Amino acid sequence: MAYTVGQVAKVAGVTVRTLHHYDEIGLLSPSGRTPAGYRRYDDADLERLQLVLYYRELGFPLEEIAAIIGDPAADPAAHLRRQHELLTVRIKRLQEMVTAIEFAMEASKLNIKLTPEERFEVFGDFNPEEYEAEAEQRWGDSEAYRESNRRASRYGKDDWLRIKAENEDWGRRIVALLASGAPADSPEAMDLAEEHRQIISRWFYECPYEVHTGLADMYIADERFTAHYENIAPGLAAYLHEAIHANAITRA
């Protein structure tokens, strides 16, 4: 059976632009084309795409994915065993990682040395102390949490206002990009995802790509964070999640 590029994109949960890119770099070229030149994918192409997406989700660069699935000595069972091994390792690492440290940035600004008036100017009606106990219980043993706490304790009102302004400016730009229809794996979206990562690293704690993608997973897994981004713009949580993963795959 033959499938159009639109049908494959819908079934696989990727963008048409992504499939075009995979074709351009030789990672997944369709087995056929119509007389008019339109791509047509068959069942074998879909199986290859499934492997590509497995390894992409695991954080492999596209060049390495091409080498892995292009190995003529590897059979489907070998790929499944490899995926199982890699997923098992990743699950263990994710369980040990502090994937939700962003509470230290967005929710639990611990040791904030501000007067009540300054707190209201920076945070409005939001009270960071409501999340302090939860954040410390869940992530207090992590170095990233301690580093975020150390930095936050040194910030004054002007620092927090600069952080707020940076985040609001970044937020306006990513909402505008989402509204423009640009794909989440477009260069512009990935640039904003990278900027998001750098804001965290600059103000709170070093945020490598693995931690950043863990935070992105939280945006769609934790209803509080999903609601936060959805209140800014419908679809933003999933859009940012995909952009962060695409950026990590491209730059890591």
Side-chain angles (χ1 to χ4, degrees):
M1 181 175 179
Y3 306 89
T4 67
V5 67
Q7 289 172 325
V8 174
K10 183 176 181 180
V11 169
V14 298
T15 64
V16 170
R17 184 181 180 280
T18 295
L19 293 175
H20 287 175
H21 179 59
Y22 289 171
D23 185 11
E24 291 165 1
I25 65 175
L27 180 61
L28 177 68
S29 297
S31 297
R33 289 183 181 269
T34 68
Y38 294 110
R39 296 170 173 83
R40 285 293 182 267
Y41 296 82
D42 60 19
D43 291 332
D45 296 329
L46 295 187
E47 290 177 6
R48 183 178 176 91
L49 176 59
Q50 185 179 44
L51 288 174
V52 171
L53 297 180
Y54 274 138
Y55 288 116
R56 192 186 76 171
E57 180 64 23
L58 291 168
F60 281 75
L62 295 182
E63 296 81 2
E64 191 169 345
I65 294 174
I68 293 171
I69 65 178
D71 181 1
D75 59 22
H79 280 300
L80 288 173
R81 285 193 298 270
R82 180 173 177 79
Q83 291 158 21
H84 182 271
E85 292 170 359
L86 292 170
L87 285 170
T88 300
V89 171
R90 187 181 183 194
I91 288 169
K92 183 175 184 298
R93 290 169 65 189
L94 287 175
Q95 287 173 337
E96 295 172 350
M97 279 177 54
V98 183
T99 58
I101 299 176
E102 195 159 325
F103 273 110
M105 181 179 77
E106 294 189 40
S108 59
K109 306 293 193 303
L110 306 180
N111 291 335
I112 299 174
K113 302 184 184 306
L114 300 177
T115 67
E117 292 78 13
E118 289 173 334
R119 279 176 175 256
F120 184 80
E121 183 178 352
V122 173
F123 299 112
D125 293 330
F126 173 71
N127 181 12
E129 292 178 352
E130 292 180 4
Y131 297 89
E132 181 174 341
E134 178 184 354
E136 186 169 8
Q137 180 181 5
R138 294 177 65 179
W139 310 299
D141 290 336
S142 72
E143 177 54 34
Y145 177 93
R146 289 190 290 272
E147 176 61 21
S148 180
N149 200 8
R150 284 193 293 268
R151 295 193 199 181
S153 68
R154 299 194 297 265
Y155 294 157
K157 185 189 76 169
D158 290 343
D159 296 308
W160 290 113
L161 288 175
R162 280 195 294 272
I163 294 168
K164 181 182 179 182
E166 276 193 30
N167 277 287
E168 289 177 346
D169 175 65
W170 173 87
R172 284 191 293 270
R173 285 182 285 124
I174 196 166
V175 167
L177 190 65
L178 170 63
S180 75
D185 58 354
S186 66
E188 296 81 5
M190 288 190 289
D191 284 346
L192 284 174
E194 177 65 15
E195 184 177 336
H196 181 266
R197 187 184 73 85
Q198 291 177 5
I199 289 173
I200 297 173
S201 294
R202 181 164 60 254
W203 288 104
F204 297 100
Y205 55 88
E206 188 62 33
C207 184
Y209 291 103
E210 189 172 20
V211 171
H212 200 213
T213 55
L215 294 173
D217 292 342
M218 185 179 64
Y219 296 155
I220 59 174
D222 188 312
E223 61 183 14
R224 292 171 294 185
F225 281 96
T226 303
H228 167 74
Y229 286 109
E230 292 302 295
N231 286 336
I232 297 174
L236 182 58
Y239 187 78
L240 181 56
H241 170 268
E242 186 175 345
I244 288 174
H245 275 269
N247 181 61
I249 291 168
T250 301
R251 287 188 164 98

